[in-house]
Amino acid sequence: MTVKPGPIDALDFLEIGSQLSDEERLLRDTVRQFVEDKILPDVGDWYDQGYFPKELAKEMGAMGLLGMHLEGYGCAGTSATAYGLASIELEAGDTGARSFVSVQGSLAMYPIWEFGSEEQKQQWLPAMAAGEKIGCFGLTEPDSGSDAASMRTSAKRDGSDWILNGSKMWITNGGIADVAVVWARTDEGIRGFIVPTDTPGFSTNDIHKKVSLRASVTSELVFDNVRLPADAVLPNVVGMKGPLSCLNEARFGILFGAVGAARACYESALSYSKERRQFDQPIASFQLTQDKLVEMMISVNRSALIAMHLGRMKDAGTIRPAHISFGKKENVRAALAVARSARSVLGANGITLEYPVIRHMTNLESVYTYEGTNEVHTLILGQAITGINAFS
Amino acid sequence: MKIAVCVKQIPDPATPYQLDPTTHWVIRPPDQVMDDTDRYGVEVALQLKEASEGEVVLVSMGPAGNMQGIRQALAMGADKAVIIDDAELKGSGALSTAKVLAAAIKREGADLVIAGTESSDGYTGVVPQQISELLDVPALTFARKFEKTETGIRIERQTQSGYDVVECGLPALISVTAGVVEPRYPTFKGIMQAKQKPVDQLTVSDLGLDGDSVGGSGSGQDITEVSPVPSRQAGQVIEDDGEGHLRIVELLEQAKVV
């Protein structure tokens, strides 16, 4: 008997789920369940209180979420697409949860895995994969954002030791980290250092009064004559290639994550509009509302297709940084537009933390400019298609 | 100790699914998930295995589809699965299901059988007891707590007013209530290894059963009618004019709860 296609699923209109392998689907469903159980019930309160529950790290580690696309050293070794699918589900919960996982896996573990010595990998990666040690990534500085190469933080040789001075700003996980991967200017060029956060001279100041990414820790890192042994430096990379390759990893997670945030907003608006009655009918029956819902639905599906396509390219080894810029720029701006539209469908309820929409909307304002601003990605794309570098 | 866990693949409750208009049977899509209540049974089995070495075998009846639900349980840590998928099983009610599962469990030679109290698509709630009868082993039902004893198993059976402590030797069957344990999430490594774990796909004749004794004909029941749940009546709204609390007390008295 051939089964007739059933009704269309409003929550997976293009049936993108059918394009996933059995493992990918199971992994997606597992993370979705985790988010439903452990994040969604409380995230509104965390956001309200400006709190990130760092005890989630161990649960995430037990499942295999941390550094999941890396091989060996206690990491799960999944495909890049699977990492992307996990990012979608996490960010459908909250950008803070996805940011935590992005920073741990792509910004802190990845450089140790890619550029570290065998001893460094053995020392840090298994504990970080298990969520027993939390990592952060220090690149951005108060006066050095998009122009990261202009950093002032420096490391100078003192015998075989290094002396680290300077500060880093807007560092996710900074205040809760056990270890920081810090990029600093040296006589040889930009180099990466593994800095345990209990090293004398290292301190952090959490950034308060944020109105975005409130369920996430954002900090300043300060290095005051931090003395590091010779083996603290990542031996296998010199120059901006180091941090930029980490950013490419993390941006890949973001271009998926944004799909999750957008999807959560669309789903919230769709369900609200079918229940909310005005003028004796659900507001979903009004043409203006249907237009908003359809535009949101198309946008979410389009972003998901872009993400899946880029995921397959990454797994095939054909993706280049400009492709990731395409996804990061397009999917984040699209998600922000969906969030704003969803906000308007929810009316006054759209501004409360009883619904997820305003939380995603304000979070996405951070995502819009972090890990390469929308403008920087535009110029990377501009250079890719014209051959002309507009930065210089 | 060899532990058999009864698991059922059901259509994802989050997505719409259909009933056949004539037979009233669920039209099973290829994509099915593990019944949520079975996650508890699997977790109990894994905890018992971890406490005293052993093997956890999943036993399931129904269209295998792409085995998404079975793989979920394998990814949690079960060692192997036996799935009985046969066109002759179409229309199986509770008794047919119990006959097939009992035959498969007997074939495996399990010391302990674990089942959820009821599936969340059929909700008959009698299959575990029927299996225990067919296997001629004691049934410790509605377990809310469990522990392995030297010679068998001890449980706390949930009752309306509290709980009974019940114990018996092995072999035995226990049915577990939802919430008895916190089911673990499949690990990503487990998910990737699940495909390598052995899955025996069997037919009715592999189990030595006669086709007429199972399926619709062996169930001893027909579904004569299916009707939608009546929609709930709108609640009563009481505007609080300062005397609202008195109205609440009055309503509670009417309901004889105070």
Side-chain angles (χ1 to χ4, degrees), chain B residues 10 13 40 52-53 68 75 86 94 103 111 130 147-148 157 205 211:
Chain B
I10 63 169
Y40 299 96
S52 66
E53 301 257 312
Q68 189 81 349
D86 193 321
D111 304 297
Q130 290 174 332
E147 63 177 312
K148 173 101 182 57
R157 172 189 285 149
S205 62

Side-chain angles (χ1 to χ4, degrees), chain A residues 53 203 313:
Chain A
S203 60
M313 284 180 79

Side-chain angles (χ1 to χ4, degrees), chain A residues 315-348:
Chain A
D315 281 323
T318 56
I319 203 165
R320 269 91 81 207
H323 292 130
I324 294 175
S325 288
F326 180 111
K328 199 275 182 181
K329 175 185 169 70
E330 172 55 21
N331 282 5
V332 176
R333 75 171 172 184
L336 196 46
V338 167
R340 288 172 178 158
S341 183
R343 214 303 281 156
S344 76
V345 170
L346 269 71

Side-chain angles (χ1 to χ4, degrees), chain B residues 227-244:
Chain B
S227 45
V229 178
S231 57
R232 217 180 277 181
Q233 307 239 315
Q236 184 187 354
V237 178
I238 300 164
E239 294 285 344
D240 185 12
D241 52 2
E243 302 287 308

Side-chain angles (χ1 to χ4, degrees), chain A residues 9 22-23 25-27 30-31 33-34 37-38 62-65 68 74-76, chain B residues 15-16 18 27 31 39 66 68 71-72 75 182 185-189 191-192 195:
Chain A
D9 181 0
D22 294 344
E23 274 104 357
R25 229 171 309 163
L26 186 44
L27 189 143
T30 301
V31 182
Q33 179 86 48
F34 172 79
D37 296 344
K38 307 281 174 161
M63 204 191 304
L65 264 171
M68 63 186 276
C75 303
Chain B
T15 55
Q18 301 156 295
I27 298 174
D31 244 1
R39 292 200 299 146
N66 57 24
Q68 189 81 349
R71 290 231 173 74
Q72 192 182 343
E182 189 179 345
Y185 298 99
T187 66
F188 294 175
K189 280 186 187 163
I191 289 171
M192 290 186 292
K195 241 187 180 149

